[in-house]
Amino acid sequence: MSKIKIMKEVLANKIAAGEVIERPLSVVKELVENSLDANSTEIKIELKDSGIKKIEIKDNGSGMSETDLPLSIKRHATSKLYDDKDLFKISTLGFRGEALPSIYAVSQVTIASSTDGIGGRKLVKVDDENYNIEPIAMNKGTIITINNLFYNTPVRYKHLSNPFYELSLVVQYINKLALIHPNVSFVLVNNDNELIRTSGNGDIRAIIANQYSASIAKSMISFKCSNEHFEVVMYSSHPHDTRSRKSHITIGLNERLIRNYDIENKIIESYGTFLHTGQYPIAFINVKVNYSLIDVNIHPTKQQVKISLIDSLLDLISQNIKQELGQLTYMAEPVNIKANDYQQYTENQTREVGEQLDELFSDVKPEPSRVFTDVSRVNYMSDTSEPTSKKEDDVFKMNSDNVNHSEDLFSLEADDKKVTIEQKLPLFNYIGTLHNTYIICENGEGLYLIDQHAAQERINYELIIDSFKRREFNYQQSLLPVVIQLSETEDAIFKPRIQETENFGFKVEEFGVNSYKVTEVDSWINNRKNSEEDIIDMINTIIDKKSTSFEHYYDEVAISMACKKSIKAHQRINQSEAEDLLATLNKTNQPYTCPHGRPVIVKITTAEIEKMFKRVF
């Protein structure tokens, strides 16, 4: 007797449902994508108990004929693929012919549809093998009602999460889909409460404003760009509007919502030192590409795709994000501070103020007590006026560990004996320091607090990264016989990469078992106090290297070295040193954040101070 038998279609459908239908979100996703493929411009999703008890999808799409309606619940029945050639030019969101049959197999289903808005047909499931079809009067489009999801597969029902979590997944999905299809009106209702409504008028910023806030939408950078293969539309948050999770990055590919870690990571990486550790941008990107360059048939949910020539796309994204970010100028600004909050300072004022300032500088993510502002409101010096510093031709000399190329990077141009310098920082006067950590300055706009460690971190970072990128090294014999001893594991990783040390300005050669000797170094390393420690840091970075991008590679080393070689908090500096520091900070490309993304400067406006003292209301 044969052990192999043909599986009943009902059982096969239930097994297939296990691949496609995991939770209410799966149903919503598959049916809404069908609505979009039917050229719907209005889609309404109504849920009961987060979709566990009921899901109804109503659209104004092309509808199904009387003949097509019963075929829609049959496996491998599709209106989107007819032969194998179509697999190489998939332009629809759904195409497998499994979604609706899988949903039908694990729920109680009613499907009503009309192609002309005059008359239609309604299919009602009776049991796993039977259904009824009856005429119905309805508008053009389709209404699919799903009741009691997983009623006949109790194991799967048991593994659903709580209703709040299931609902959050649907809300997040519709929010993302609305960005990718701004010309479609989406409405999401749960237990008669309207959660989402979009106009469908194509206004992406309005959709972002509804999901986050008007201020976030307004401050977002945006651009359109293209190359030979890709067209990109992107909106990405100002560096002060960040989140602690990557899930706020939305990626669309030919109007399909996808997950692509290469694109996601490139967006994050492109922010560089604008992002504080553990923070991620809010971003939306929609990519258009010839269908022949993508494969969407690699995963049952179709959210993961393969993209040919993806490096070309990543470069396009990165270049434009960096260009837009490079035009930003901002600083931290505390707001909504109540005057009576200062009563707590009376017992131990110095300690309390210091703690609040430490907290203020600890994270670039906006909290209720502060916002960020564009310093274009502050007076710039962009002509031939003299800089704030009394020693404008000097670079910051208070720390002898600084890189020797500082004169090249931060050089000043003389013209008719006048010094011309782009004034990136506002003009202000030095007052003093707080806790040997924060430099205090003032001008007509208000009070400024500058974190001395973060400021020099930014200076050192740009000096080091510039040395790396130029790669015009002047090699010298190493002043110290530096020998590096590695473990067997480290040696196995480092040996094939030994020449990569030359990208950082030093050369090594093998020197016994698992050992290497530094033979030549660039002058910028030779002139640093702790050059041996720097070299070890760079070798460790090569060993731990995770990114193939040298740009990211350099960042890892430069950030680490900049932090270690910068003046520390609670280290005393005098007025001359503070002014030198600020003059040099003004010459950096981005003086408002440290390499870790923390703010360098906090501004308290005169108006805010007057409010604290009840001078104004």
Side-chain angles (χ1 to χ4, degrees):
M1 183 182 217
S2 174
K3 294 182 179 180
I4 299 177
K5 298 181 180 179
I6 301 297
M7 187 181 296
K8 290 184 178 180
E9 184 176 357
V10 172
L11 179 57
N13 285 343
K14 288 182 180 180
I15 293 173
E19 296 181 358
V20 180
I21 308 304
E22 299 176 347
R23 55 191 351 128
L25 170 62
S26 308
V27 176
V28 171
K29 176 183 179 299
E30 297 293 343
L31 297 184
V32 168
E33 286 183 353
N34 282 347
S35 294
L36 290 169
D37 283 338
N39 299 314
S40 304
T41 58
E42 297 175 3
I43 302 174
K44 185 175 183 179
I45 306 102
E46 290 195 65
L47 309 178
K48 186 173 182 181
D49 292 352
S50 306
I52 297 172
K53 287 189 177 180
K54 179 182 177 181
I55 301 170
E56 184 171 279
I57 310 293
K58 181 179 181 180
D59 68 50
N60 66 344
S62 57
M64 289 182 282
S65 68
E66 182 177 356
T67 304
D68 288 338
L69 187 58
L71 287 175
S72 69
I73 60 171
K74 300 295 183 182
R75 286 191 72 198
H76 308 307
T78 177
S79 62
K80 301 163 186 177
L81 293 181
Y82 296 107
D83 56 49
D84 56 359
K85 293 180 181 179
D86 292 334
L87 281 173
F88 300 101
K89 51 179 182 178
I90 295 173
S91 60
T92 54
L93 300 178
F95 52 85
R96 292 171 178 267
E98 294 176 351
L100 196 48
S102 296
I103 295 168
Y104 187 88
V106 293
S107 61
Q108 297 168 335
V109 178
T110 299
I111 306 172
S113 194
S114 172
T115 59
D116 55 18
I118 300 173
R121 291 289 185 272
K122 180 169 72 172
L123 182 153
V124 180
K125 178 180 178 179
V126 177
D127 53 39
D128 287 342
E129 297 181 348
N130 299 287
Y131 56 82
N132 294 326
I133 295 181
E134 57 192 55
I136 186 175
M138 62 177 291
N139 294 328
K140 182 182 177 181
T142 301
I143 304 172
I144 300 181
T145 306
I146 311 298
N147 289 304
N148 301 319
L149 184 62
F150 300 136
Y151 78 102
N152 55 359
T153 51
V155 173
R156 191 164 295 278
Y157 179 86
K158 183 176 68 175
H159 284 89
L160 289 174
S161 298
N162 67 72
F164 297 103
Y165 179 71
E166 297 294 345
L167 180 61
S168 72
L169 296 177
V170 176
V171 170
Q172 182 184 62
Y173 171 72
I174 298 300
N175 275 333
K176 288 179 176 289
L177 207 61
L179 288 168
I180 296 171
H181 297 272
N183 294 311
V184 176
S185 172
F186 292 92
V187 177
L188 173 63
V189 176
N190 181 61
N191 293 341
D192 299 324
N193 295 318
E194 186 173 288
L195 304 177
I196 296 174
R197 177 178 289 273
T198 66
S199 65
N201 65 0
D203 189 341
I204 294 176
R205 283 194 191 269
I207 298 171
I208 295 170
N210 288 333
Q211 294 182 19
Y212 295 98
S213 71
S215 62
I216 288 177
K218 184 178 180 181
S219 66
M220 274 189 154
I221 63 172
S222 64
F223 58 82
K224 295 180 181 179
C225 59
S226 62
N227 61 18
E228 183 180 356
H229 304 289
F230 300 94
E231 294 180 12
V232 172
V233 174
M234 184 163 186
Y235 291 75
S236 199
S237 62
H238 193 287
H240 62 56
D241 294 320
T242 59
R243 294 296 185 267
S244 59
R245 291 178 290 119
K246 298 179 183 179
S247 59
H248 296 272
I249 298 176
T250 300
I251 303 172
L253 182 67
N254 289 348
E255 298 187 329
R256 177 190 301 279
L257 178 62
I258 68 166
R259 291 294 304 275
N260 185 284
Y261 298 107
D262 290 329
I263 296 175
E264 194 175 86
N265 290 333
K266 180 57 68 173
I267 292 171
I268 296 167
E269 178 186 316
S270 299
Y271 269 72
T273 61
F274 281 95
L275 287 180
H276 185 39
T277 304
Q279 295 296 304
Y280 306 99
I282 302 166
F284 158 64
I285 182 170
N286 202 3
V287 180
K288 288 186 178 180
V289 61
N290 189 290
Y291 292 104
S292 64
L293 293 179
I294 59 175
D295 184 357
V296 299
N297 194 28
I298 63 173
H299 192 273
T301 67
K302 304 178 290 294
Q303 281 194 303
Q304 297 177 26
V305 301
K306 287 184 178 179
I307 306 174
S308 299
L309 305 175
I310 191 169
D311 287 342
S312 172
L313 172 61
L314 298 180
D315 288 343
L316 181 65
I317 293 169
S318 182
Q319 290 169 9
N320 282 272
I321 291 177
K322 289 177 180 179
Q323 179 178 329
E324 294 295 324
L325 290 175
Q327 300 174 19
L328 296 181
T329 307
Y330 64 95
M331 69 181 71
E333 179 178 296
V335 297
N336 299 330
I337 302 176
K338 299 178 181 178
N340 58 11
D341 289 343
Y342 285 80
Q343 184 176 354
Q344 63 181 308
Y345 299 159
T346 55
E347 294 182 3
N348 196 338
Q349 184 172 346
T350 301
R351 179 179 60 84
E352 295 285 351
V353 173
E355 288 177 358
Q356 291 212 4
L357 288 172
D358 283 333
E359 181 179 354
L360 189 61
F361 279 100
S362 66
D363 195 340
V364 74
K365 181 181 177 182
E367 299 293 339
S369 64
R370 70 179 189 276
V371 297
F372 289 72
T373 182
D374 188 331
V375 297
S376 60
R377 298 185 308 170
V378 183
N379 183 28
Y380 274 87
M381 181 183 72
S382 57
D383 53 16
T384 56
S385 304
E386 289 191 0
T388 304
S389 173
K390 297 176 181 178
K391 300 182 179 181
E392 61 259 286
D393 288 323
D394 293 341
V395 295
F396 181 46
K397 298 185 178 66
M398 54 179 288
N399 189 322
S400 60
D401 284 347
N402 279 320
V403 180
N404 201 39
H405 289 314
S406 55
E407 294 87 350
D408 298 329
L409 181 60
F410 297 140
S411 60
L412 304 176
E413 298 179 4
D415 182 14
D416 294 333
K417 297 183 179 180
K418 292 183 179 180
V419 175
T420 301
I421 179 173
E422 181 185 358
Q423 186 69 23
K424 296 180 180 177
L425 297 178
L427 294 172
F428 40 46
N429 298 316
Y430 174 87
I431 297 177
T433 60
L434 176 65
H435 303 319
N436 294 323
T437 300
Y438 306 106
I439 301 170
I440 307 172
C441 297
E442 58 91 22
N443 65 12
E445 295 281 334
L447 187 70
Y448 298 82
L449 302 168
I450 300 95
D451 184 328
Q452 64 189 34
H453 173 72
Q456 200 183 21
E457 266 192 314
R458 165 53 61 178
I459 294 167
N460 284 341
Y461 167 77
E462 291 196 11
L463 292 169
I464 295 168
I465 208 73
D466 180 69
S467 296
F468 289 162
K469 288 182 177 178
R470 286 187 300 178
R471 283 190 257 184
E472 298 172 356
F473 299 122
N474 177 25
Y475 285 106
Q476 306 170 354
Q477 290 295 316
S478 177
L479 298 178
L480 294 173
V482 180
V483 176
I484 311 297
Q485 182 71 41
L486 302 178
S487 69
E488 289 187 4
T489 302
E490 291 171 334
D491 182 67
I493 298 171
F494 180 69
K495 186 176 292 184
R497 300 178 178 177
I498 189 171
Q499 290 187 342
E500 292 183 20
T501 61
E502 296 181 25
N503 292 304
F504 297 105
F506 67 101
K507 299 178 182 180
V508 301
E509 61 182 27
E510 292 187 58
F511 190 68
V513 179
N514 302 341
S515 295
Y516 297 86
K517 180 176 69 174
V518 177
T519 57
E520 295 179 65
V521 297
D522 182 65
S523 56
W524 81 266
I525 297 178
N526 251 348
N527 291 334
R528 292 174 67 86
K529 264 189 175 180
N530 300 313
S531 58
E532 181 175 354
E533 185 179 319
D534 293 337
I535 290 170
I536 292 173
D537 281 347
M538 289 184 278
I539 289 178
N540 285 335
T541 301
I542 293 171
I543 293 172
D544 296 336
K545 178 183 177 183
K546 296 177 182 177
S547 171
T548 56
S549 163
F550 264 110
E551 188 171 349
H552 187 256
Y553 201 4
Y554 290 149
D555 267 355
E556 293 178 10
V557 177
I559 290 172
S560 174
M561 293 174 63
C563 181
K564 292 179 180 179
K565 306 308 175 186
S566 295
I567 184 174
K568 301 300 186 285
H570 311 300
Q571 182 176 336
R572 183 181 297 277
I573 62 174
N574 59 35
Q575 179 174 348
S576 177
E577 292 170 333
E579 290 178 342
D580 284 345
L581 174 61
L582 296 177
T584 311
L585 178 65
N586 183 63
K587 301 169 192 175
T588 60
N589 294 320
Q590 177 45 260
Y592 293 98
T593 63
C594 79
H596 303 92
R598 294 190 302 110
V600 172
I601 302 176
V602 167
K603 175 184 176 183
I604 306 175
T605 67
T606 301
E608 289 165 344
I609 295 172
E610 289 178 338
K611 287 180 182 179
M612 296 176 195
F613 287 98
K614 304 293 185 182
R615 287 180 173 268
V616 295
F617 296 93

